[in-house]
Amino acid sequence: MTAWIHDAVRTPRGKARPDGGLAGLKPQALIAGLIDALQARGHDPRAAEALIVGCVGQVGAQGGNIALVSKLHAGLPDETAAWSVNNYCVSGLTAIGQAADMVETGRARVVLAGGVEMMSRVPFMADRADYYADPDFTPRARYVPVAVAADRLAEDIGVTREEMDRAALVSQTRTAEAEGGPLVASRITLAGLEAEECARPTTIEKLQRLEPAFAEMAVPYAEALEGRKIDHRHTIAHAPPMSDGAGLALVSSDARGARARIVAHVEVGGDPAASLTAGFTAMDRVLERAGLSLADMDRIEFMEAFAVTIVKFLRERAVDPDRVNVGGGHLAKGHPMGATGAILLSSLLDALDACDGRYGLVVAAGAQGVGSAMVVERLATVAR
């Protein structure tokens, strides 16, 4: 592709509660803060011809076309197009993929794209969509909360509590170790928040004492589960904390001054009953499209959409775990839904810079069979 990422920045993730580190801001302020950060880093984000923002809860503080609201708040030119995307938890990466398509096809030369989610202001499922409880769908197509789907998947593929505890410990440990170093070089300070507020350093002993957390959540969805009794395994430590956050990339058709090239990106659907597995399909397809393999990836940001997904990935794929989520993952840092894909991409670029790597991969998954993946090539290693 001829789509280039000039930069990608992100906020820290704040706790999704009234006293959270970002909760005093509005979502458009997070996007504006990232635009200002891009400006301060030597770019010209206000030259962008479009702003594309991924966001899941597009009601209340995030309603009214949050991309347009953010455009107005940030003082982007009137001529800048702005629209919002809801592709569940992969929305931020989908938005960046759309930006790449725009510059690849000549529809724009420069596009800002990413995502935002403030779960302190717009809680999970706040849109109250009829679909969440609609009995007209077949059981396979009925909505099941991601936490319940994660427990079902863990039981189906035999992921053990011990494996998930180890995954949570690695995520927390690496997150703590990354603070203050090159792996957070593109994370800005906002509203005085300088670090990942949701991170909670722990020990394996503490993790082992936690009880499964999502059995009660499954009760209203008994019909969608066709009466199945699930062996609930995920604890709160195996679930990404609800959080506030945003990420934004500046994508251009001009390679000069860019950090990376977008080699390929893929959006896929998947089995709604398997829910979180579409990211694997997206990963396989994007690698095939790029003509590369997992072994070619110097760094991988694999979305920890509950512990079962990262355990499944490391168990089933021939991949060096020391190249995956090197700065920690969602289990420690949190999951601001619509922002996640953009945050992961920014994290990936920092990880590639830190290891002087060439190729990187982002993989994201969402509820009901939603998947997205992107391969990038770091510009410093590209022949000019």
Side-chain angles (χ1 to χ4, degrees):
M1 294 187 70
T2 54
W4 300 84
I5 302 169
H6 276 236
D7 210 347
V9 291
R10 63 194 184 276
T11 69
R13 276 157 274 192
K15 293 180 179 179
R17 61 190 197 192
D19 62 347
L22 298 178
L25 301 177
K26 295 181 179 179
Q28 60 266 28
L30 270 62
I31 296 293
L34 293 174
I35 292 173
D36 289 343
L38 288 168
Q39 188 92 37
R41 287 161 69 99
H43 305 289
D44 186 12
R46 288 175 173 81
E49 296 162 72
L51 170 65
I52 312 172
V53 176
C55 183
V56 178
Q58 294 188 30
V59 296
Q62 295 175 166
N65 186 354
I66 188 59
L68 176 60
V69 174
S70 299
K71 163 194 159 178
L72 297 173
H73 183 76
L76 295 179
D78 291 348
E79 296 79 12
T80 306
W83 67 92
S84 305
V85 175
N86 180 3
N87 195 21
Y88 281 7
C89 298
V90 310
S91 297
L93 195 58
T94 298
I96 295 170
Q98 288 189 347
D101 289 343
M102 287 185 72
V103 302
E104 177 79 5
T105 58
R107 293 168 53 207
R109 290 168 296 177
V110 182
V111 180
L112 285 164
V116 65
E117 203 80 41
M118 293 202 66
M119 301 184 77
S120 60
R121 290 181 174 267
V122 183
F124 181 55
M125 296 173 66
D127 59 348
R128 300 184 179 182
D130 287 352
Y131 167 59
Y132 300 150
D134 194 334
D136 292 337
F137 287 85
T138 63
R140 177 178 176 272
R142 292 278 295 274
Y143 179 79
V144 172
V146 183
V148 178
D151 276 335
R152 179 172 59 183
L153 179 62
E155 183 178 20
D156 286 345
I157 64 176
V159 168
T160 67
R161 170 65 184 270
E162 181 182 3
E163 289 176 296
M164 294 195 294
D165 284 346
R166 285 201 303 267
L169 183 62
V170 168
S171 189
Q172 294 285 356
T173 301
R174 289 182 175 178
T175 295
E177 291 173 348
E179 282 301 327
L183 294 176
V184 295
S186 299
R187 190 186 69 195
I188 71 169
T189 297
L190 199 61
L193 186 62
E194 298 178 333
E196 306 295 347
E197 189 177 29
C198 296
R200 45 186 188 274
T202 188
T203 65
I204 196 68
E205 291 76 20
K206 289 180 180 178
L207 292 168
Q208 289 170 342
R209 289 196 291 268
L210 295 174
E211 295 293 328
F214 303 107
E216 288 301 314
M217 186 179 290
V219 174
Y221 297 90
E223 187 175 343
L225 295 168
E226 300 183 273
R228 173 174 168 176
K229 301 298 182 183
I230 297 173
D231 176 14
H232 292 278
R233 304 180 184 190
H234 285 81
T235 71
I236 57 171
H238 305 139
M242 291 184 287
S243 62
D244 298 337
L248 200 63
L250 185 64
V251 182
S252 171
S253 58
D254 188 350
R256 292 173 296 180
R259 290 180 71 180
R261 178 175 71 96
I262 297 176
V263 179
H265 69 95
V266 166
E267 303 285 342
V268 302
D271 180 356
S275 197
L276 295 169
T277 59
F280 290 87
T281 305
M283 176 180 66
D284 292 339
R285 290 189 184 178
V286 81
L287 289 171
E288 180 180 7
R289 187 167 295 178
L292 298 166
S293 69
L294 282 174
D296 295 315
M297 299 298 111
D298 294 296
R299 289 293 181 262
I300 298 168
E301 287 292 325
F302 190 96
M303 178 180 161
E304 293 174 355
F306 289 80
V308 63
T309 56
I310 188 66
V311 171
K312 175 178 168 63
F313 175 53
L314 295 175
R315 177 204 279 183
E316 297 180 356
R317 303 303 175 103
V319 61
D320 181 354
D322 290 334
R323 297 186 179 192
V324 180
N325 298 353
V326 295
H330 269 36
L331 297 182
K333 300 176 187 178
H335 175 39
M337 301 183 292
T340 280
I343 288 172
L344 290 177
L345 178 64
S346 176
S347 300
L348 176 65
L349 295 184
D350 283 346
L352 286 172
D353 286 343
C355 74
D356 196 25
R358 180 176 185 181
Y359 289 116
L361 169 68
V362 178
V363 180
Q368 306 304 104
V370 175
S372 183
M374 181 176 288
V375 172
V376 301
E377 184 175 22
R378 182 168 161 263
L379 183 60
T381 66
V382 177
R384 304 193 189 191

